[in-house]
Structure formats: C-alpha cells, structure tokens
Amino acid sequence: MIRYLSRFLQNPYSVAMSVLWPLIRPILRTQFFHFGDSKITFPTRLIGAQYISIGDGTSIDYHCEIHAEPENPDPRRPVITIGNGCEINGFNRIGALHHVEIQDHVLLASNIYIGDTTHAYGDTGTPILKQGNVYRGPVVLETGCWIGDGVKILGGVTIGRNSIVGANSVVIDSIP
C-alpha cells in the first residue's frame, strides 16, 4: 500500500490513469476517427477527435494538445494521423487544418509544436489575430524519426525516415 501511495504522490495522473483507463478507453474509441490499442494520459486536450486517427501501441503523455479542425471537413478521412508504436511525451501540441501525418515508431520528446498552418500577415493595419490562417502544406514525420525537445515543425515539411531533429530546432524545410 505504501508503494502505491508513493507512486501516486510522485505522479498522480499516471497512477489514476492506470486504474481508470479500462473505463475511459471504450469511450474514446467512439470519439475518434480511429483509435487503436493505444493509451492517452490525461489531462490531454483533444479537439476534433473525429478527425484524428491513432494506431496501435502508441502512447500519448499528459498535458498534450491535439487539435484537428479541418477547413473542409470530410468524415471519410482524418486530418491528423498518428501511426503504430509512437511515443509522444508531455506538453506537445499538434495542430492541423488539412494534414499532419506521424508514421510508425516516431519518438517525440517534450514541448514540441507541429502544425500545417501559420497566421496570415498581409495587412499591417489589421491585427494578426484577425487575419486568419495560411495553409503551408502537409507535415509528414516518416517512420522511426526522433524529434528532440522544444522543436517547432512548420507546414510543408517532411522529416525523413529514421532522421533525428536536435533540441530547440525550428524546421522550415524538409529533411531527408
């Protein structure tokens, strides 16, 4: 009992989720486009789950935000696809209006931002917040890549198979 209490005090989210996961998982399966045999640790913010597909064996740690808000919703295809066997550590943000694909066995460290859009900036007399978003192209993280802590991956970028992106990088061009 003392060992269980000690684990709970060190990481209450993890311990609570291990107990509650069998109850939460069936509910999540009905919300997503596809939700395989994977695990999400809450608190994690999910927006547009019906446009998110997650494969088998993927783990999403606490305090992540996955935000799929398509400009042209199509219930037949996901906007964000996360493959099998991925490890997504805490405090990551993944957002898409069109397409973000994370293939199998991708490792994401913490504090990463991945998005296929950016804020529009065409009129200096209008606040940026009111200018909308600009789609920059799909983001694809190919199988086996490792993205270091604090990386920002912008639209129109493909990270090649088994590539490593070092901590605190801003990726604006594709990496083979």
Side-chain angles (χ1 to χ4, degrees):
M1 179 68 175
I2 296 209
R3 195 164 115 203
Y4 182 78
L5 181 59
S6 174
R7 272 185 51 214
F8 179 78
L9 293 175
Q10 289 174 0
N11 190 349
Y13 296 119
S14 179
V15 174
M17 283 305 298
S18 66
V19 172
L20 296 174
W21 187 248
L23 302 172
I24 295 171
R25 188 169 181 274
I27 295 168
L28 284 178
R29 292 190 107 195
T30 65
Q31 304 299 310
F32 281 83
F33 181 87
H34 170 77
F35 189 81
D37 185 21
S38 292
K39 187 172 183 182
I40 297 175
T41 303
F42 289 93
T44 286
R45 187 173 181 201
L46 301 165
I47 300 168
Q50 68 270 28
Y51 301 108
I52 301 170
S53 175
I54 300 176
D56 293 328
T58 289
S59 175
I60 300 174
D61 215 347
Y62 56 92
H63 295 292
C64 288
E65 177 178 318
I66 304 175
H67 189 145
E69 195 168 16
E71 283 186 332
N72 302 310
D74 182 355
R76 297 171 294 169
R77 74 174 191 82
V79 174
I80 296 175
T81 303
I82 301 172
N84 300 317
C86 295
E87 182 73 31
I88 299 175
N89 289 301
F91 299 97
N92 288 316
R93 291 183 7 227
I94 301 168
L97 293 178
H98 292 274
H99 185 70
V100 169
E101 178 181 354
I102 299 172
Q103 295 179 358
D104 298 340
H105 308 290
V106 170
L107 173 60
L108 299 180
S110 299
N111 301 305
I112 295 168
Y113 169 78
I114 300 169
D116 66 353
T117 59
T118 189
H119 292 286
Y121 186 67
D123 179 7
T124 57
T126 303
I128 292 173
L129 183 62
K130 296 185 182 245
Q131 294 189 42
N133 295 307
V134 175
Y135 175 64
R136 296 288 185 203
V139 175
V140 178
L141 278 60
E142 293 183 351
T143 298
C145 66
W146 171 25
I147 309 300
D149 195 73
V151 172
K152 310 305 178 225
I153 300 174
L154 306 181
V157 167
T158 297
I159 307 293
R161 184 179 184 92
N162 298 325
S163 294
I164 299 172
V165 178
N168 296 315
S169 299
V170 177
V171 184
I172 60 174
D173 290 318
S174 294
I175 298 171

